Amino acid sequence: MPPYLRFDVFTLLPDVFEPYLQASILQRARQRGLVEISIHNIRDWATDKHHVTDDEHYGGGGGMVMKPEPIFAAVESVLGSPPSCPVILLTPQGRVLTQAVVTELAAPALRRDAGDPPHHLALLCGRYEGVDERVRQHLVSDEISVGDYVLTGGELPALVLIDAVTRLIPGVLGDPDGPWDDSHASGLLEYPHYTRPPEFRGWRVPDVLVSGDHARVARWRREQALLRTWQRRPDLLEKANLSDSDRKFLEQLNTGEQDS
Ligand SMILES: C[S@@+](CC[C@H](N)C(=O)[O-])C[C@H]1O[C@@H](n2cnc3c(N)ncnc32)[C@H](O)[C@@H]1O
């Protein structure tokens, strides 16, 4: 069966990708044929003697700008013209990568039937002051930011996106339900986790978790998720999918009837 996902990454720093990709769950996903990731060095498409990929700003000012020619040449030689898949520019000016956006990017891969080609995404990593505006206007189809701060390049954001999208693919994680229980998947932060030993430095695991009563454990986890979200990210509660009993629990928190 073809892979679920294919990423083509365009970058000036191709060497930063493999060490992370090879050291993580992503490598297992690649080896099992669930995802394909190809890294392309934009510099290989610079035609001048010194393979120059950046130049000064028109209008003056410090810093360099990534030239359009090698970027268009790289993307069009790999993906055709117009590109055969969405081209996502990593930029602090893009829409912020939330779990909802991650799910949206993974959705075509999750819907696909056996035998369908992989869901294909191209990622374009900026450097310096970023890419020439004509790249954004005429080559890029989506722009994504990993948060309201500025990094030196789009390589870490590209790895963040690849990691977050790939872990939603069935078979990538050991626990198939894992990604859907995690923080943000249901709109809430996840409940706290404990493992052995049952007591460490006098700090005991909550009794309910060793009770063997699955219904009580499930209720405790749900209430802890609600409590955590209420304490840390009350903004998330407005959009979360809440049951009547969730709402009742939150009302008790708001009126101080529960320990927080
Ligand atoms: C120094 S930044 C350029 C910032 C740009 N001059 C601006 O103010 O919007 C260089 C490159 O890093 C990447 N980058 C930096 N911060 C990012 C973020 N929060 N999300 C995604 N990519 C980012 C982008 O690819 C960007 O082109």
Side-chain angles (χ1 to χ4, degrees):
M1 176 156 128
Y4 283 83
L5 264 175
R6 173 173 172 80
F7 290 103
D8 279 289
V9 182
F10 297 87
T11 171
L12 288 175
L13 291 185
D15 294 346
V16 305
F17 286 89
E18 285 303 330
Y20 180 74
L21 294 175
Q22 287 182 15
S24 68
I25 280 180
L26 298 179
Q27 175 67 347
R28 209 181 58 198
R30 288 164 102 187
Q31 284 167 344
R32 294 171 63 196
L34 300 171
V35 59
E36 271 177 7
I37 304 168
S38 298
I39 311 296
H40 309 282
N41 188 350
I42 295 168
R43 199 172 299 284
D44 292 344
W45 280 272
T47 49
D48 66 298
K49 196 166 86 188
H50 299 293
H51 296 284
V52 173
T53 56
D54 59 301
D55 207 336
E56 295 170 351
H57 278 274
Y58 271 117
M64 303 297 272
V65 178
M66 285 174 71
K67 289 164 68 61
E69 309 95 307
I71 299 177
F72 271 86
V75 171
E76 289 176 346
S77 87
V78 174
L79 303 173
S81 177
S84 54
C85 74
V87 178
I88 300 173
L89 174 66
L90 284 312
T91 162
Q93 303 183 16
R95 58 192 182 124
V96 175
L97 188 68
T98 59
Q99 192 63 29
V101 173
V102 168
T103 308
E104 173 203 312
L105 294 174
L110 303 178
R111 279 198 302 266
R112 109 196 208 292
D113 292 321
D116 282 355
H119 175 43
H120 193 176
L121 295 171
L123 306 180
L124 175 57
C125 307
R127 279 266 141 194
Y128 319 118
E129 288 300 325
V131 299
D132 183 286
E133 183 66 4
R134 289 162 289 188
V135 171
R136 196 189 63 73
Q137 289 171 328
H138 303 294
L139 189 65
V140 161
S141 47
D142 196 356
E143 298 176 54
I144 287 187
S145 163
V146 289
D148 291 344
Y149 46 85
V150 178
L151 298 162
T152 55
E155 288 75 18
L156 290 174
L159 281 170
V160 167
L161 188 155
I162 291 171
D163 190 304
V165 173
T166 302
R167 68 190 289 287
L168 296 186
I169 299 302
V172 170
L173 298 186
D175 172 8
D177 295 331
W180 308 107
D181 284 344
D182 282 323
S183 296
H184 301 293
S186 69
L188 298 178
L189 302 183
E190 202 184 18
Y191 51 81
H193 301 282
Y194 292 89
T195 185
R196 279 187 280 272
E199 185 169 333
F200 171 67
R201 296 190 174 178
W203 302 311
R204 286 180 52 76
V205 171
D207 287 340
V208 58
L209 294 181
V210 289
S211 68
D213 181 338
H214 297 305
R216 268 185 71 214
V217 170
R219 193 166 63 244
W220 181 85
R221 286 182 166 166
R222 184 68 187 175
E223 290 182 355
Q224 288 292 315
L226 290 163
L227 175 61
R228 287 231 145 159
T229 313
W230 180 79
Q231 287 171 324
R232 297 174 185 212
R233 292 291 305 276
D235 56 302
L236 296 178
L237 291 170
E238 283 160 30
K239 286 194 194 152
N241 197 358
L242 300 175
S243 67
D244 288 347
S245 67
D246 291 339
R247 288 182 198 287
K248 208 164 141 204
F249 181 77
L250 289 168
E251 256 170 51
Q252 289 171 345
L253 290 177
N254 286 327
T255 55
E257 290 171 36
Q258 286 275 340
D259 290 338
S260 59

